[in-house]
Amino acid sequence: MKRILDVKNLQVSLPTPNGNLRAVRGIDLHVNKGEMLCIVGESGCGKSMTSMALMGLLPKRAEVTAETMYFDGMDLLSLSKKERNQVRGMRMSMIFQEPMTSLNPSYTLGNQLCEGIIKHKKVSKDEAKKRAVYLLERAGVPYPEKRLDQYPHQLSGGLRQRVMIAMALMCEPDLIIADEPTTALDVTIQAQILRLIRELQQEFGTAVIFITHDLGVVARIADRVAVMYAGQVVETASAQDLFADPQHPYTKGLLNCIPIPGKTLPGSHLESIPGVVPSLIGELKGCAFENRCSASIGECCYRSPSLENHLGSEAHQVRCPVATTSFQEAV
Amino acid sequence: MSDSTSTVSTAASASTFLPEVPEWRRMMNRFLGHRGLLMGSIILGLIVVLAILAPWLAPHDPYLQNISQRMIPPVWHEKGSWEHVFGTDKLGRDYLSRLLYGARISLTIGLSAALISGLIGTTLGVLAGYFGGRVDAVISYIITTRLAMPVVLVALAMSALVGGSLQMVIILLGLLLWDRFAVVARSTTQQLRDAEFIASAKVLGASTTYILVRELLPNILSALIVVMTLEMAHAILLEATLSFLGLGVQPPMPSWGLMISEGKAYMFFKTWVIAIPGIALMVLVLAINLVGDGLRDMNAPEGRN
Amino acid sequence: MAEYALELSNLSRHFYLKNGAFKEPTLLKAVDGISLRIRPGETLGLVGESGCGKSTLAKMILGLLEPTDGDVLINDKMRGASSRLSMSRQLQPIFQDPYSSLNPRKTIEQIIRLPLQLHKIGDAKSQQKAVQDISDLVGLPERLLKNYPGQLSGGQRQRVAIARALILKPNILVCDEPTSALDVSVQAQILNLLMDLKKELGLTYLFISHNLGVVEHLVDRVAVMYRGKIVEQGTREEIFQNAQHPYTQALLSSVLTPEPALGLPEVLDSSAWDRAS
């Protein structure tokens, strides 16, 4: 399958008054054409930083390095700022968590929807409008023609997110990065928006990197999942494999934390992950999860584990020596 | 989420909640790392020390007139002497001594006026911000009325009416410079009014006074301290202006503004007569403003952990 | 003992939304005639989406907002009849956002101790002892007592909030989305703590949440709120296994459990339950 995005050893660090914050610590990621990759992790794990780095939206003081960062065969790292903006506008787009802040309150929706495509694709104003109406309709926005003259504050949260989705699709991008697009929405609306994203993604064949903290959302929408912890990917697998057979202690821990209606006995003691995330300032010695891990062994304290294939398959990788050795012993 | 910096700061703060460095150490580091703040504090500290120690440091009595020693130039002039380092004025009083005592007046007026206006402005602003509604409407009206009055003109008129003196200048400026305190206190209070820790104190049955003074005030204090420095500088300059015009501090007191005024007849021939108090005034106001800017930077949300 | 720990009878709160200087203000019935009863030791889950009025309801129960109509009874006594001070010994809140519920300029010890000081209970020494005991109870390490809220993690902060709420030994806690600002691994810790405390102290909870998974795990009875009204209430089994109201059904089908095979639920339309209610 063709990879639309291929990143090796992505690192992001930020200077803070207390030292260098290494928010992303060497991430390998790829997204195939038309695939839905979910990046899941808790707050501060570096998932949003990763998306910002991929989009090239981090502030100047952030230091972004990577061995390779290919987008559809193009080396993003060697592009000039102007070329990068061109790629970002035309071929990659982003959906944010809070649509109110990512839509400009003083321009009409029509203006904001058409601005990008007119600038980047040199289409006429009428054509742009036509496409905007078509996409708004596809995104389930009632009265799409009327909406073009409306302002963001005239829409409800769910509708705004639908407009954002339409806007992300305007230039027919190859990749959309959606950063917690449904977190601010009510559950009934969330289900509708997720379905919409999934449908449009499959219809247009767009690759999506979907960033969320909600394992329930991940399970229902993802093709492939990358679990992040302390700036690293600790486990990656297809959604089916990950939920059926989680390997990393952190993934297992996360899944056990959530009370599931019909499965978890009401009122029973929930499993939790003790301790807190280590500070990401400076270097980490050994495995980042070691201090909270019930399965840790001696070497976890000093040796930083690498991402290894599980059951010899590249499709399921785990960053944990315990998970991989127990398999080898079993064989 | 539209600007990337906000995401960055939240991501950073979420993962760094366990500092190994104690709070005071970090504040210290930030303080030392801020060049303007460091420089401003050193200069301001020096001026304060000089002002406090004026009776011991001053080589002469600042009020002692000596007709035979009139208009001696400062030491760097060819006719200057070490006896009067900054020279003497037209009445033969030692300029350095007057400068040192003048610093006391400037600092006293700056601090007292800022404290009085801080008290008035903060009280009004906090009440307006916390209660909102009609209270806010009335206080906002008072603030706008105050903003419509030109400070210098009112001060001139008042001091012409009542007569100038040190106390008069302090009270006058204290009653005039509270507007910025009120505006800042009002807006910061509005932001905190609905915070859950305030709600929690209310549920516990805390009195409104307790909530305002003990829960709310400590959280808006840092913003008010920044305003305080600005108003201090403002008051010092206004005092100099009034004294220069003869309506502020009255002779023979050694106010810097008065010194400039007394020297203005000579300013084309003996520049140092006004240059020395002028530069002193500028350095003091600059130092206070540097401190204020620095404190504001230290309190800026993006710098907070 | 009182028959009901918390009783709401026909509670309403209306707001007038301004539409500019010359137009008539719109009437918004944020809470519209709600009656609820919670027995001592019971946990009632109040479920609803944003804007349904559940926060307004919580504010009225806590006495932060005057009802337009109706009464709040706490341990069979009218909320308005006794002072805030005496009410606060019976009912305490736990808020959603552990970052805004603690005063950033006070140490943890000062925060937990505040209720005792306001109520003038004990001397300095016994207060300190009480703070330590309650910190033990909620699993807050003693070394954190001298710290400021900014130095604590979200979970630790929520423990502080729980300690502050419990130090006056109230019998009712009003928990307004107490875990929705926390990560799931921390959420589990706080839910466990709330369940343990209930067993140990015999507390009554009004548990307000939009997370149905959490609600099912914790509560005895559920009330579903929509547009200021209770559209359905019943025991946990009744609601989760045999929901009657289309809105409750829609809410339940929107719960996304981590089961990839189930895929995304059918697209729902609010007109269905709008008609029903």
Side-chain angles (χ1 to χ4, degrees), chain A residues 14 18 21 52 57 101 276, chain B residues 1-2 4 7-8 18 26 305:
Chain A
L14 283 165
N18 305 323
L21 177 78
M52 293 295 210
L57 288 174
T101 50
V276 288
Chain B
M1 290 281 278
S2 63
S4 48
T7 335
V8 171
L18 284 181
R26 279 190 311 176
N305 275 335

Side-chain angles (χ1 to χ4, degrees), chain A residues 14 17-18 21 43-44 48-49 52 57-59 61 96-97 101-102 179 276-281, chain B residues 1-5 7-9 11-21 26 29-30 303 305:
Chain A
L14 283 165
N18 305 323
L21 177 78
S43 51
S48 284
M49 289 286 216
M52 293 295 210
L57 288 174
L58 283 171
R61 63 199 176 90
F96 294 95
Q97 174 176 347
T101 50
S102 36
D179 190 353
V276 288
V277 185
S279 164
L280 292 183
I281 288 176
Chain B
M1 290 281 278
S2 63
D3 65 333
S4 48
T5 40
T7 335
V8 171
S9 62
S13 59
S15 58
T16 57
F17 45 70
L18 284 181
E20 275 97 50
V21 207
R26 279 190 311 176
N29 285 346
R30 204 172 296 159
N305 275 335

Side-chain angles (χ1 to χ4, degrees), chain C:
Chain C
M1 203 183 343
E3 191 182 357
Y4 295 109
L6 186 65
E7 187 176 352
L8 313 179
S9 69
N10 196 26
L11 199 62
S12 300
R13 172 74 202 199
H14 300 171
F15 291 102
Y16 286 95
L17 300 180
K18 282 184 191 154
N19 287 328
F22 302 109
K23 284 185 201 155
E24 279 285 301
T26 329
L27 176 68
L28 174 77
K29 295 180 176 175
V31 173
D32 192 8
I34 282 192
S35 299
L36 275 180
R37 286 169 175 169
I38 312 178
R39 289 184 186 281
E42 191 181 42
T43 300
L44 176 80
L46 184 67
V47 174
E49 298 185 307
S50 56
C52 75
K54 56 189 200 286
S55 291
T56 308
L57 187 72
K59 276 188 184 162
M60 284 191 286
I61 296 172
L62 294 169
L64 294 170
L65 202 63
E66 283 302 312
T68 311
D69 195 17
D71 297 312
V72 178
L73 279 82
I74 296 165
N75 295 322
D76 286 351
K77 282 191 213 76
M78 294 276 276
R79 156 114 242 165
S82 40
S83 71
R84 221 177 226 174
L85 223 53
S86 77
M87 277 298 154
S88 74
R89 289 197 193 193
Q90 303 171 46
L91 177 131
Q92 277 290 315
I94 293 168
F95 293 109
Q96 169 179 2
D97 183 3
Y99 289 88
S100 114
S101 70
L102 308 180
N103 190 335
R105 301 280 160 156
K106 291 190 169 186
T107 66
I108 301 306
E109 180 166 9
Q110 287 173 324
I111 289 170
I112 302 178
R113 198 180 196 162
L114 175 66
L116 295 179
Q117 284 173 333
L118 288 175
H119 288 250
K120 303 195 174 63
I121 298 173
D123 53 12
K125 212 170 169 189
S126 73
Q127 286 181 358
Q128 200 179 356
K129 175 89 175 42
V131 170
Q132 282 170 358
D133 289 349
I134 203 87
S135 308
D136 272 354
L137 187 69
V138 301
L140 198 68
E142 210 182 305
R143 63 184 160 82
L144 294 178
L145 290 180
K146 293 272 174 279
N147 287 19
Y148 287 88
Q151 296 162 302
L152 271 59
S153 68
Q156 288 168 337
R157 283 161 171 253
Q158 204 56 305
R159 285 176 199 273
V160 175
I162 294 173
R164 172 180 58 189
L166 288 179
I167 200 162
L168 289 175
K169 303 192 171 63
N171 66 332
I172 311 163
L173 285 191
V174 176
C175 310
D176 190 359
E177 302 266 8
T179 62
S180 59
L182 303 174
D183 280 325
V184 285
S185 62
V186 181
Q187 166 178 294
Q189 295 170 13
I190 298 297
L191 293 180
N192 284 336
L193 175 65
L194 288 174
M195 290 189 290
D196 293 345
L197 289 171
K198 184 184 167 177
K199 256 179 248 160
E200 213 160 310
L201 306 172
L203 297 170
T204 308
Y205 289 142
L206 172 62
F207 193 91
I208 302 173
S209 178
H210 70 277
N211 187 331
L212 285 153
V214 169
V215 167
E216 199 217 10
H217 195 75
L218 221 67
V219 308
D220 305 311
R221 277 196 310 126
V222 186
V224 182
M225 196 168 167
Y226 182 68
R227 294 210 176 160
K229 287 189 169 121
I230 303 284
V231 293
E232 185 167 8
Q233 62 171 311
T235 64
R236 178 176 58 212
E237 288 74 23
E238 281 168 1
I239 297 292
F240 279 88
Q241 276 146 35
N242 190 21
Q244 297 300 317
H245 196 277
Y247 179 66
T248 316
Q249 291 165 350
L251 272 183
L252 285 170
S253 66
S254 307
V255 178
L256 302 177
T257 52
E259 293 162 292
L262 295 181
L264 287 162
E266 274 301 312
V267 178
L268 306 138
D269 194 355
S270 65
S271 59
W273 58 79
D274 273 347
R275 238 177 292 123
S277 58

Side-chain angles (χ1 to χ4, degrees), chain B residues 84-158:
Chain B
H84 299 285
V85 179
F86 281 172
T88 57
D89 66 5
K90 61 180 178 185
L91 296 172
R93 295 174 295 198
D94 181 53
Y95 231 47
L96 175 62
S97 306
R98 284 184 75 72
L99 205 64
L100 288 172
Y101 277 88
R104 294 184 138 200
I105 292 179
S106 286
L107 287 170
T108 311
I109 287 182
L111 202 64
S112 326
L115 277 175
I116 295 173
S117 51
L119 204 66
I120 300 172
T122 307
T123 313
L124 288 176
V126 166
L127 291 178
Y130 186 75
F131 290 107
R134 228 166 260 170
V135 180
D136 187 28
V138 170
I139 292 176
S140 296
Y141 182 77
I142 300 176
I143 296 175
T144 359
T145 313
R146 156 58 202 89
L147 284 172
M149 301 194 296
V151 174
V152 179
L153 285 188
V154 174
L156 278 177
M158 284 306 293

